[in-house]
Amino acid sequence: MTNWAASFHYGFRDCLYPTSVEAVCEIVARSPKIKTVGSGHSFNAIADGEVALSLSKLPINPIIEGDGTRVSMGGHCTYGELALFLHRHHLAIHNLASLPHISIAGAIATATHGSGNRNGNLATAVSGLEMVSGDGRLIKVARGHADFLGLVVHLGALGVITRVTLDVQPEFQIAQSVYEGLAWDKLLANLDEIMAAGYSVSVFTQWGQQAGSIWVKRTASADEWPAAIHGATRAMVNRHPISGLDSQNCTEQLGQYGRWSDRLPHFKMGFTPSSGEEIQSEFHVSKEYGAAAIEALLSIRETFAHLVQAAEFRTVAADELWLSPQYHRDTLSIHFTWIRDQEAVNAAVKHIEQILSRFTALPHWGKVFTGRHIGAKYERLPEFAQLRDRMDPQRAFSNPWLEDVIFGTSET
């Protein structure tokens, strides 16, 4: 088994496919070690283990709840599948990641985010969870439960998510336009204003002589599209985030309004995500240090730019989730899509981690980084460790990656 980009090879000796929640409980109860695999979009060993558990044979069974204010579905449901269901009910969720192909359970477990100054990461939409603990018990918790803020971004360390409940809102329209030719000095001097130009904003760069392009996604109530944003001019043809690739698998641009789910992701559901031949890394810094962090990376770009297919700057709003990189801080997220050369990428990432350390950068949990005991940077780690002791005292869901990266110990 590999992840979707075939850049990481899992070490599983077996994969189990239960067809009911009761079967999930039985499997977990009798398994000394087990890890759940979702859409395979992680780029590290967070989900690796001896035995894999796939929920792909379970029905997703989406249900509208709370008089149309919530939706519940199987955790293995993808955001693309959820969006199609919500459209039939004229509903939406607040945000989406770049790819609609990822599973909901995997996205919330790793605090995967999307973009927007006022938009929390995808996990902030969670209002309820159904999960199987280490002893095979089925547990249901809702927002307001004492453990809820620790259970949502759980990194696969606490249980198997069988069902998720999300907040929903009325369906809305989004359009996007791309602005090209952004200069580095304009980006650094106007970063906050640029990132506030729409409901969701991304700046794509390849760390070259120019900063790159601004992808602005606006709601239908927004003003007319300007001809330029800080010197970057509006593109008159569709673009791909990775320079030179065909834009046909990208969501519609050119200011054409459409359903929220057809604009917020960068890529369409029916096409290969991104480039496919890639490795990904991402680091989150407090938004107030965003321009300084970018400028620091520019000073060492010769150590990594030749490996970059595309990089992206996004903003994410603060939240209360214990192991979220946005815990109590608005962030600028600095994403790298690398060529598939793991050894070279690891070396480049070390340079990036070193220079971003002054800004207390936190890595995306599901992507490539080299730091150890990252959990020590989270003030709520002691409470999370206590929660794990209650949810999985026998460490059925543990693996060496979790013990090293999160808890700073060797696996027992």
Side-chain angles (χ1 to χ4, degrees):
M1 295 177 67
T2 70
N3 66 347
W4 69 271
S7 63
F8 181 84
H9 291 256
Y10 296 103
F12 298 121
R13 56 179 171 78
D14 194 10
C15 187
L16 306 177
Y17 296 88
T19 57
S20 68
V21 172
E22 292 76 16
V24 175
C25 294
E26 190 275 330
I27 288 170
V28 171
R30 63 176 166 81
S31 299
K33 290 289 184 182
I34 195 158
K35 297 297 294 182
T36 311
V37 291
S39 56
H41 194 70
S42 292
F43 290 82
N44 58 38
I46 187 171
D48 202 10
E50 299 175 17
V51 179
L53 179 68
S54 170
L55 304 186
S56 61
K57 302 296 185 183
L58 271 66
I60 60 174
N61 191 26
I63 300 172
I64 302 298
E65 300 177 346
D67 296 326
T69 61
R70 300 186 301 274
V71 62
S72 69
M73 76 298 300
H76 57 294
C77 178
T78 68
Y79 281 96
E81 291 170 328
L82 173 62
L84 290 174
F85 172 77
L86 290 178
H87 176 57
R88 296 199 291 271
H89 297 272
H90 307 291
L91 294 171
I93 55 175
H94 78 290
N95 209 356
L96 289 171
S98 298
L99 306 175
H101 313 70
I102 59 178
S103 71
I104 295 170
I108 65 174
T110 55
T112 296
H113 47 92
S115 180
N117 280 351
R118 299 181 180 180
N119 297 326
N121 65 44
L122 300 179
T124 62
V126 177
S127 60
L129 290 171
E130 178 186 277
M131 62 194 306
V132 179
S133 63
D135 59 2
R137 289 179 297 126
L138 188 65
I139 296 171
K140 298 181 181 181
V141 295
R143 187 182 287 132
H145 186 280
D147 294 330
F148 182 78
L149 297 176
L151 286 167
V152 179
V153 181
H154 60 87
L155 312 179
L158 304 181
V160 178
I161 301 295
T162 52
R163 199 160 183 84
V164 180
T165 304
L166 303 177
D167 296 330
V168 295
Q169 63 190 68
E171 192 170 58
F172 58 98
Q173 297 278 299
I174 288 278
Q176 65 177 328
S177 285
V178 176
Y179 290 81
E180 303 176 296
L182 179 65
W184 283 113
D185 60 341
K186 296 294 186 182
L187 173 64
L188 295 174
N190 303 284
L191 181 63
D192 288 345
E193 187 174 336
I194 288 171
M195 301 311 292
Y199 182 86
S200 172
V201 177
S202 296
V203 174
F204 281 97
T205 182
Q206 291 178 289
W207 297 98
Q209 292 304 111
Q210 286 191 327
S213 59
I214 312 168
W215 290 48
V216 181
K217 303 171 192 275
R218 288 184 162 185
T219 59
S221 60
D223 298 331
E224 292 297 317
W225 295 97
I229 298 177
H230 292 293
T233 57
R234 190 177 173 200
M236 294 295 104
V237 295
N238 288 330
R239 297 299 191 195
H240 192 288
I242 299 176
S243 180
L245 293 188
D246 195 317
S247 63
Q248 70 169 348
N249 61 346
C250 298
T251 50
E252 294 298 326
Q253 302 158 31
L254 307 180
Q256 299 176 18
Y257 282 96
R259 203 159 64 226
W260 62 282
S261 55
D262 292 335
R263 297 294 185 273
L264 286 175
H266 298 320
F267 300 97
K268 298 174 183 176
M269 185 63 191
F271 292 82
T272 300
S274 194
S275 76
E277 298 284 331
E278 63 187 58
I279 297 171
Q280 294 182 6
S281 297
E282 187 169 45
F283 298 92
H284 308 279
V285 300
S286 292
K287 190 167 172 281
E288 61 185 308
Y289 304 132
I294 294 171
E295 192 167 18
L297 288 169
L298 280 171
S299 73
I300 63 161
R301 62 180 164 179
E302 72 279 357
T303 66
F304 64 79
H306 59 292
L307 302 172
V308 171
Q309 294 191 51
E312 182 179 6
F313 308 132
R314 291 175 283 185
T315 53
V316 190
D319 61 52
E320 298 286 333
L321 305 173
W322 293 357
L323 292 192
S324 164
Q326 286 78 44
Y327 180 76
H328 287 182
R329 64 175 191 166
D330 298 328
T331 65
L332 178 81
S333 299
I334 305 171
H335 169 93
F336 299 86
T337 296
W338 306 104
I339 64 172
R340 207 163 65 186
D341 184 337
Q342 192 70 61
E343 184 176 351
V345 167
N346 288 345
V349 166
K350 286 182 180 179
H351 289 294
I352 290 168
E353 289 170 332
Q354 182 176 10
I355 203 159
L356 290 183
S357 63
R358 69 187 75 168
F359 305 107
T360 318
L362 294 171
H364 187 298
W365 290 118
K367 300 183 181 180
V368 170
F369 56 92
T370 68
R372 303 179 66 184
H373 199 188
I374 302 300
K377 298 182 179 182
Y378 286 79
E379 64 178 271
R380 304 302 293 270
L381 180 67
E383 291 97 325
F384 185 81
Q386 292 171 6
L387 180 57
R388 183 173 75 143
D389 286 341
R390 299 197 303 274
M391 292 289 293
D392 185 26
Q394 301 303 316
R395 303 294 187 261
F397 305 121
S398 184
N399 64 14
W401 188 95
L402 284 168
E403 297 303 326
D404 183 32
V405 172
I406 310 303
F407 301 103
T409 61
S410 58
E411 188 177 19
T412 57

